[in-house]
Every structure is written in structure tokens, then in C-alpha cells.
Amino acid sequence: IALKKSIKNLDSYTHVRGESVYVDDINIRQGTFHAVVFDAPKAHGRIKHIDYSKAEALNGVERIFTYKDIPGKNEIGGIIPDEPLFAEHEVHFWGMPIALIVAESEFIARKARQLITIDIEELPVITTAKEAKAKGSFINAPRSFSLGDTEKAFKNCEYIFEGETFSNGQEHLYIETQGAYAEPQENGNIKVTSSTQGPTSVQKTIAQVLGVAMHKIEVDVTRLGGGFGGKEDQATPWAVMAALASFHLKQSVKIILNRHDDLRMTGKRHPYESTYKIGLSKDLKILAYQTEFLQNSGASADLSPAIAERTLFHATNSYYIPNVTTKVLSCKTNLPTNTAFRGFGGPQGMFVIESAIAKAAHEIGVSASQIQETNLLEENNTFSYGQIAKKVEAKNSWNSAKSIFNIEALEREIHSYNKTHINFKKGLALMPITFGISFTNTPMNHARALVHIYLDGSVGISTAAVEMGQGVNTKMMQIAADVFSIPIEKIKIETTNTTRVANTSPSAASSTADLNGKATLIACNALLERLKIVASEALETSKESIVLKDGFVYHNSEKPKLTWTDLINKAMLNRVALTENAHYATPDIHFDKSTEKGHPFAYHVYGTAIITTTVDCTRGTYEFDSVKIVHDYGKSMSEGIDLGQVEGALIQGIGWMTMEEIAYNDEGKLLSNALSTYKVPDIFSAPKRVEVIPLETDGHDLAILKSKAVGEPPLMYGIGAYFALQNAIKAFNPNYDLEFHAPMTPEKVLMSLYKNP
Ligand code: LUZ
Ligand code: MOS
């Protein structure tokens, strides 16, 4: 069966019927308790006293758990052990968990929460990365990448520009909020259903907090209602809390954060304050580039060090710059611990280089696209981290976008529109992207698959992949269907479960389909080889002449000799193993942190977007007229799913750059704490037209069936939205002094339109 590239995400059938199961939909056991978190009402301070007595006395409250009830370690940090599950004597952010209230119902637990009183001696609050830097408040040591000799190169530059940029955080807004359900099993074992991207880290952390062996904890995931990185690390605490309560009470415990609690207690994309210095030659070659990124990490490390690292990896986006010095500081503040978010620090880095280019273009008096085009990455260029760029598609995607979408005509159209309109102005920007695929932490790049063929010929597959709407389960089915040449209906993807596939990396880094798909492919191919031997014996022919096609076994003729089910029956009678367990680890990748050089990425994904906008210059409001993209899918194995990823990521990127505005006050309290004050793009603010043309390329051998990773890269097309708006503002207000402070909200657009007129 040739791959059905037009396949739909198979989850869509249960989604539209409301039959898809999320944590909150599980049939709960009789006697299940419900839990609500009591959290810090101040961003920084010493806990003087907490009075739980009234809450404990409330009818229906079973028990309140604090750090004192932890039998193992009060520690949930991943990369650095600096994060308690429950605050002990100090609180470090507004929303930091202090206790877990367990009651007969969520309603009662919430009521009890209101009865708790707390006395906190307040300490100084840091909310910005700059303040943290000034006070020497850091998560870890700074990191720095360098290539060439930046200092010397600046001496030879015709133009040098310096400036500052800011990009704000971003709320994940997964539709399914954080949650978990813990059920006690016999012998003190616990099964936890979690809405997590990383079942193994949930399992490991529960074991650590409870002080038990990992094999006592089973973590199961059916699917997530969105993750976007927000559940790579931060699904863990809620699962640990449910497990802790279940451990003590010997009862099932369920916790589902409501939207308010989720918004207040969980971290977001990291805000970055950055400075840049860019140097260009007379013919617009970028000769030197220097940056310092201040990452607002929040109260503890979480994934911040890895995210900071990816900022450095993507600091030059799609450009070759021979002399680069980049530095990143992970700044410890009193905000909720910021975390993974689609792009993982890459977008933050790319926004700075695009800002530097926009600034240079403005000052020199050329268009930014001239500078972008002049510096696009070419084959065998070196990235600042030492990897040699291979199979580069930067120019190919750029030139294709320009010609396919007729950029000259678009530019002429905009020019004449702006000439004839006074109160409305249009702007256009091009946004090339280059994104590295692999976990930057090399040891994480592995996965396993467990494939059973049942005796009726149906197939069950378990992997480490977590389905979170991205369609990875459909891709796994396609792989098995392709290898066995059987219809997709014969294949089932099991839940992601730590007892079937152990020691897994999270579903993240756009790599889930590649890693788990390769493992599935290896397992299926091993079974196929075995089955071909069975067939060749049954048909008394050579193994090489056996072909499986469309559910039948053939050899040397058009007539099928056996059905797939006959073949499986014969294999059973011959006592041949119909189960295979396969392991895949990405070859060829390595990175040496002592030199900050290596070959960390299996491959890169490329593409170019052209974004156009119309600004209402009386109101500051805007629309995106169109986004036209040429994207490098490699050889897409599921065109609809991949297109969905591009569209979703693009709009999420535009939201980050233009309308999603996270606000904390100086005391560290989240102001944008509801969906009435935090706006994500809806159908009305989505671009009026989105066109995505696949770039014709060979794909890459390290991509599953040459179908390149698609989850994160297209988010960064959204960065172009900022610069399209800026160009429209410039058309109205030539005296506008460029600022690089995202998001570019309508308020900010309005102010910019009338600044120094
Ligand atoms: N998660 C992670 C990621 O742990 N390492 C990565 O390199 C990464 N990249 C993107 C998204 N999540
Ligand atoms: Mo992620 S930002 O969990 O790939």
C-alpha cells in the first residue's frame, strides 16, 4: 500500500463526536477524592504562619498535605534540583504550591481553600531579567557561542548598529488544563493517568518524591488536549501531588486545575530582554554579530538552561555570519518558572537577529529583505556551534517564495495602495526560517516501539510518542500499514504507558514522529522479515520472491497465494514470535559543551514566509491580509496533518508577536489571569489567507520516511508579522523610531503611528 498522504488525523473522528478521552473524562473509581492546590498569595517572602484549622474542619475535607507529608524528597527539578513540590519556609512566586487540599468534591476543596489564612513576611520581588542581572540573580552560569573574531570584524564594518529588544512570554493555552488521576494498586503500587508530554519524567519524579522505586509507578497517557511545551516538564507537579495523596489515603485522587489556577501557577514562554550589535559591509554582508540574551527564567530552572542553549543555536536564524559572539544569561526572578514553549528559545533568538536587520535596513535606507537575501545560508557554511550546513534550502525556499508568489507584483500593489490611502497603510515582510531538529541534549534522542501482531492479524503498537493533537499516532499507523501493506483499520496505537515503553524522552523538540517512527519502522521491518520466511516455507519458494501487498502474500505471479491472516496463522503454528521491540537512537549527532562545538542536529528545516498586513491608522487596529509560505516538508507522509501543523504554528507565532500580552504587576501578580484579559488569535484575527506551498526537496534520511519534522519550525514565520506591521507604520509615520518590543498590540501600533510625527 503506498502511503496515503492525504490521510486525516484519525483522532478527528472521536474529537468531532466528543468521544476523545482526556484526563477529566476517565471513569473514576468509587470513593475518588478531588484535590485543589493552595498557592502563594505573594511573589516572594517568608512564611510566618499558615492556619489550616478552619479548612480541615470543613465537612467533606479529607486531609491537607504539605511538604511535611513527603516521604521522599521535596524536589521536582529536572536539569537542576532547585524546585520544591511544595514551598517549605519561603515562597518564590505568586502561585507557588504550598499545600494540597483533598476532599470529597472539588467544590468542597475550593471552599476549604478560602478558609486557609497565611501570614507572609514579604521580601523584595524581582520581575524582570534586567533587575535580576543587576542583582546577580541567576539560575546557572552564562553560556556563550562564538565563531570567527567578532571584535576584529567590527573594525572592518562600514555600518554598525546597536540596540535593545524585548519579546514577551506566551501562555500555552492548551485547551485541556493540567491534570492527573492517581489510583492505588496492590502492594503500594500506583497508576497515574497524566496529561503529560513526558510520562517517564512524571514516573521518575513521583518515585523520587514518594521515596519508592520507579517500577512501583505506572504512568499512562491517552492523549493531551494540547501541550505546546507546557506539559513537557510542568505536567509533573500535579501528577506527583495526586500520587502523594493517593499514597497516603490508599484511595484514588483526581486533580484538574481550573483555568484560573492553571494560568496563575504554571510557567510560560520565557520573556527575553536582549542587546545586539550588528556590523555590515558596504554591500550589505553581515560581517559581525554580537548579542547578549537575558532570559527571564522565573523562580527555578525547569528547562531554562536547555531553552537558553537553543536561543544560541538559532541566534543567526537563516543567515551565515562569519563572526558571531552570543551570550545568554538565565535570570532568576519571582515569576512562575518559565518553561518549554513551541520553538524552545529559538523564536526568542530569531526575533533579535530580525530586529537587528530591520534596524540596519532602516538606518541604511534599504529594505530589510535586501539584507536578508544577501546573507542567506549556503551549502557548507558553518553555524556558530560548529555544525556544517548540509542540504541547505534557505535560498531555494526564499527564491521559490519570491517567484511563486510574485513578490514584485505584491510590492507594487502595496506601494500603490499606500500612495492612494491616507488612513490605511499596508506593510510586507519576508521571514526565512532555519530550525535544527533533535533534542539539543544529545542523550535524549532515542525512542522505542513495541509491536504485537495478534493471531487474527490485527496489530497493536506502543511507543513513547504522546498524541497531543499533532497527529503522531496517525503517522505511526501509516508506517505500520506501509510496512505490512495492510489497511489502517487493522492497526491500533495503544496509550503511551511506562510499563510498555520505558525510559522515554518527552514528546518534544519536533522529534516525536522521527524518533518513535524510526523505532516503529525497525520493529515492523523485523517482523516482516520473519513473516517472509514463514511465507517462503509455506509456498516453497525463496524469501526474496515474497511480496506482501494490500493484505495478501504474493510470489512471482499476479495471483495472491495467502491472505495476511493466513500468514499470521501459519506463523503461530510455526511458533514464530509475533512481537517485536525496537530501539532507535539518532546516529551522527554530538555536541561538546566544553568547546560549545559539535553537530547537535540531525538536520535542519527551512522555509520562507511573506506576510502582508493592513493597518487602520486611525485606530491602530490591523489585519493580516495574507501569509504566503514555501515550506520544506521534505517528503511529507501526511500532507493534511503537516499543513495543519504549519497553519497552527504560524497563527500561534503571530499571536505571540502581536496580540498575546502577558502582564504581571510589580508585585509579581499575574494580571492577564483570565481569557478576558489574555487574547489569543481567533478566526477573526487569523490571516485572511494562508497559502503553503511545499518546497520540492529530497527530505532527509534521518527524517521518518524522509518526512521532515514540522511541529515547531513554522511558528517562527509568525515573527514576520511584527516586521510587516512595522513597515506599515513606517509608511504612515516616516519619523517612527523603530522599536523592537513585542507583542505589537494595537495600542502599541497606535502610539507608534503618532510618535514624533
Ligand atoms: N525539549 C528539550 C525541547 O528538552 N530539548 C530540546 O532541545 C527541545 N527543543 C525544542 C522543544 N523542546
Ligand atoms: Mo516542546 S517546546 O515541548 O517541543
Side-chain angles (χ1 to χ4, degrees):
I1 297 182
L3 274 181
K4 265 211 208 105
K5 295 186 173 214
S6 59
I7 194 164
K8 280 202 171 72
N9 182 339
L10 293 163
D11 264 16
S12 56
Y13 297 98
T14 51
H15 285 353
V16 296
R17 293 184 163 121
E19 291 168 358
S20 298
V21 174
Y22 302 90
V23 177
D24 206 11
D25 301 316
I26 297 169
N27 269 325
I28 58 172
R29 291 209 249 172
Q30 203 170 11
T32 291
F33 288 115
H34 299 263
V36 165
V37 179
F38 171 68
D39 59 301
K42 293 287 170 202
H44 194 198
R46 272 184 211 100
I47 300 174
K48 307 294 283 182
H49 182 71
I50 308 179
D51 184 356
Y52 294 110
S53 60
K54 284 202 185 100
E56 280 166 337
L58 187 71
N59 200 9
V61 171
E62 182 67 16
R63 195 167 152 187
I64 297 178
F65 296 92
T66 69
Y67 73 94
K68 291 178 186 156
D69 300 299
I70 290 174
K73 281 197 203 149
N74 183 19
E75 177 55 60
I76 60 167
I79 298 176
I80 299 172
D82 70 345
E83 190 176 359
L85 178 68
F86 292 124
E88 298 191 3
H89 309 295
E90 286 195 359
V91 296
H92 295 284
F93 66 91
W94 200 303
M96 181 173 181
I98 297 174
L100 187 73
I101 307 153
V102 178
E104 281 168 16
S105 73
E106 187 187 328
F107 180 77
I108 295 171
R110 287 197 179 281
K111 223 167 142 183
R113 181 163 75 177
Q114 294 173 341
L115 301 175
I116 300 173
T117 56
I118 181 166
D119 183 12
I120 291 177
E121 178 192 330
E122 290 184 51
L123 294 169
V125 172
I126 302 175
T127 60
T128 68
K130 253 191 202 155
E131 279 173 87
K133 186 191 172 194
K135 293 188 176 166
S137 171
F138 300 111
I139 295 287
N140 59 351
R143 294 276 297 273
S144 183
F145 286 9
S146 75
L147 179 70
D149 186 340
T150 314
E151 221 168 286
K152 205 169 119 199
F154 273 121
K155 297 206 176 94
N156 302 324
C157 290
E158 173 82 11
Y159 308 107
I160 295 178
F161 306 100
E162 293 181 67
E164 285 186 357
T165 73
F166 173 79
S167 62
N168 205 350
Q170 184 176 23
E171 166 56 39
H172 302 87
L173 213 83
Y174 25 65
I175 297 287
E176 181 194 26
T177 54
Q178 303 279 5
Y181 183 51
E183 300 166 82
Q185 316 279 302
E186 60 181 25
N187 292 320
N189 301 324
I190 301 175
K191 179 180 177 186
V192 179
T193 306
S194 167
S195 179
T196 181
Q197 293 173 236
T200 291
S201 65
V202 169
Q203 179 196 20
K204 175 171 163 252
T205 312
I206 292 173
Q208 174 173 298
V209 172
L210 296 187
V212 302
M214 279 173 76
H215 69 198
K216 296 191 84 72
I217 310 299
E218 171 185 353
V219 177
D220 190 82
V221 183
T222 301
R223 71 158 64 67
L224 317 185
F228 309 115
K231 295 171 181 172
E232 182 174 339
D233 247 30
Q234 297 204 357
T236 301
W238 330 107
V240 178
M241 288 177 201
L244 175 72
S246 172
F247 175 87
H248 284 292
L249 298 173
K250 312 248 178 310
Q251 253 303 2
S252 301
V253 177
K254 179 170 163 177
I255 177 169
I256 305 281
L257 300 194
N258 73 9
R259 186 63 70 183
H260 266 97
D261 287 356
D262 189 302
L263 290 171
R264 187 175 68 255
M265 296 178 198
T266 66
K268 303 160 199 329
R269 184 189 291 286
H270 293 74
Y272 272 61
E273 289 168 272
S274 312
T275 51
Y276 65 83
K277 181 173 171 186
I278 189 169
L280 300 94
S281 68
K282 205 167 180 175
D283 55 0
L284 303 181
K285 279 267 178 209
I286 305 173
L287 300 181
Y289 182 57
Q290 189 179 325
T291 59
E292 183 178 85
F293 300 105
L294 301 185
Q295 177 196 59
N296 189 333
S297 313
S300 48
D302 189 273
L303 292 159
S304 296
I307 291 161
E309 183 184 52
R310 198 177 265 280
T311 302
L312 300 186
F313 283 119
H314 296 308
T316 56
N317 189 16
S318 296
Y319 311 108
Y320 173 62
I321 306 179
N323 303 285
V324 181
T325 307
T326 53
K327 184 178 178 188
V328 62
L329 298 142
S330 292
C331 301
K332 191 168 175 166
T333 64
N334 299 110
L335 297 187
T337 300
N338 286 316
T339 192
F341 196 132
R342 207 172 193 173
F344 206 74
Q348 291 95 319
M350 291 187 195
F351 178 65
V352 181
I353 182 75
E354 294 302 326
S355 296
I357 288 172
K359 174 75 176 174
H362 182 71
E363 298 294 335
I364 298 169
V366 296
S367 75
S369 61
Q370 262 176 279
I371 299 179
Q372 290 171 309
E373 184 168 310
T374 307
N375 293 281
L376 287 171
L377 204 62
E378 289 179 41
E379 198 70 11
N380 296 321
N381 283 160
T382 306
F383 290 101
S384 68
Y385 45 93
Q387 184 160 345
I388 309 294
K390 295 283 180 192
K391 299 186 120 191
V392 176
E393 304 290 352
K395 287 200 163 165
N396 188 9
S397 72
W398 177 276
N399 292 332
S400 303
K402 279 177 65 174
S403 64
I404 291 170
F405 298 120
N406 196 352
I407 187 96
E408 280 93 13
L410 254 176
E411 281 172 340
R412 268 199 308 274
E413 214 176 281
I414 288 178
H415 189 74
S416 75
Y417 181 96
N418 285 348
K419 261 192 158 162
T420 51
H421 292 74
I422 296 168
N423 291 321
F424 288 84
K425 295 291 179 189
K426 284 187 187 289
L428 174 147
L430 279 90
M431 182 65 202
I433 59 150
T434 297
F435 196 78
I437 301 303
S438 287
F439 287 95
T440 59
N441 183 19
T442 303
M444 290 172 79
N445 294 284
H446 60 87
R448 278 157 300 290
L450 177 66
V451 179
H452 299 312
I453 304 174
Y454 294 100
L455 53 88
D456 66 351
S458 64
V459 176
I461 299 176
S462 297
T463 72
V466 171
E467 176 62 53
M468 50 188 130
Q470 85 281 44
V472 69
N473 282 356
T474 305
K475 289 185 178 180
M476 298 301 108
M477 284 189 197
Q478 284 181 283
I479 292 163
D482 189 45
V483 173
F484 297 141
S485 200
I486 55 176
I488 216 125
E489 291 72 28
K490 280 209 185 298
I491 298 159
K492 177 189 175 200
I493 304 298
E494 305 288 353
T495 62
T496 314
N497 186 297
T498 53
T499 67
R500 273 178 269 111
V501 180
N503 308 327
T504 64
S505 290
S507 287
S510 304
S511 302
T512 313
D514 278 358
L515 298 175
N516 294 281
K518 290 269 189 179
T520 302
L521 192 60
I522 293 168
C524 293
N525 276 327
L527 286 163
L528 179 68
E529 286 308 299
R530 238 177 264 155
L531 290 170
K532 280 186 174 172
I533 293 170
V534 173
S536 67
E537 284 168 4
L539 303 176
E540 295 177 346
T541 177
S542 71
K543 188 184 130 196
E544 287 65 37
S545 65
I546 297 290
V547 175
L548 273 72
K549 198 164 163 282
D550 298 340
F552 291 96
V553 182
Y554 294 79
H555 85 97
N556 295 342
S557 77
E558 292 82 61
K559 265 222 187 122
K561 307 286 186 199
L562 292 168
T563 67
W564 164 257
T565 315
D566 295 338
L567 177 61
I568 300 307
N569 282 326
K570 290 205 185 299
M572 280 296 291
L573 292 172
N574 292 359
R575 297 184 292 170
V576 169
L578 290 174
T579 288
E580 187 69 19
N581 179 37
H583 174 84
Y584 174 76
T586 313
D588 309 336
I589 52 172
H590 54 88
F591 193 70
D592 181 350
K593 282 190 187 176
S594 68
T595 56
E596 303 287 25
K597 297 283 178 195
H599 185 103
F601 297 119
Y603 57 90
H604 288 81
V605 170
Y606 299 90
T608 299
I610 304 171
I611 300 189
T612 58
T613 183
T614 305
V615 173
D616 176 337
C617 300
T618 316
R619 297 174 180 83
T621 53
Y622 47 78
E623 283 185 345
F624 293 98
D625 307 323
S626 68
V627 181
K628 298 165 190 277
I629 296 171
V630 171
H631 185 78
D632 167 25
Y633 294 102
K635 302 268 175 231
S636 176
M637 60 185 283
S638 322
E639 286 163 359
I641 290 173
D642 286 352
L643 176 62
Q645 286 294 301
V646 174
E647 290 173 343
L650 164 72
I651 290 171
Q652 202 163 32
I654 292 176
W656 172 54
M657 279 283 111
T658 66
M659 64 189 298
E660 298 184 37
E661 191 168 33
I662 288 179
Y664 292 95
N665 69 10
D666 291 343
E667 280 110 64
K669 182 182 184 181
L670 181 67
L671 300 176
S672 50
N673 67 347
L675 298 191
S676 51
T677 48
Y678 187 79
K679 290 291 185 198
V680 295
D682 57 14
I683 192 65
F684 301 105
S685 44
K688 296 292 157 268
R689 196 179 162 80
V690 177
E691 277 178 86
V692 187
I693 304 281
L695 188 66
E696 296 291 334
T697 68
D698 300 338
H700 195 285
D701 286 338
L702 296 182
I704 182 64
L705 303 178
K706 295 184 181 270
S707 169
K708 284 190 172 185
V710 71
E712 292 168 292
L715 181 130
M716 283 145 275
Y717 292 134
I719 295 171
Y722 189 95
F723 298 95
L725 283 170
Q726 203 167 56
N727 289 333
I729 294 166
K730 273 166 64 169
F732 182 82
N733 176 8
N735 299 326
Y736 165 59
D737 196 9
L738 301 198
E739 281 174 19
F740 304 99
H741 197 280
M744 185 65 99
T745 56
E747 293 89 331
K748 236 184 251 167
V749 170
L750 191 64
M751 308 267 264
S752 308
L753 288 166
Y754 296 97
K755 224 176 223 173
N756 317 313

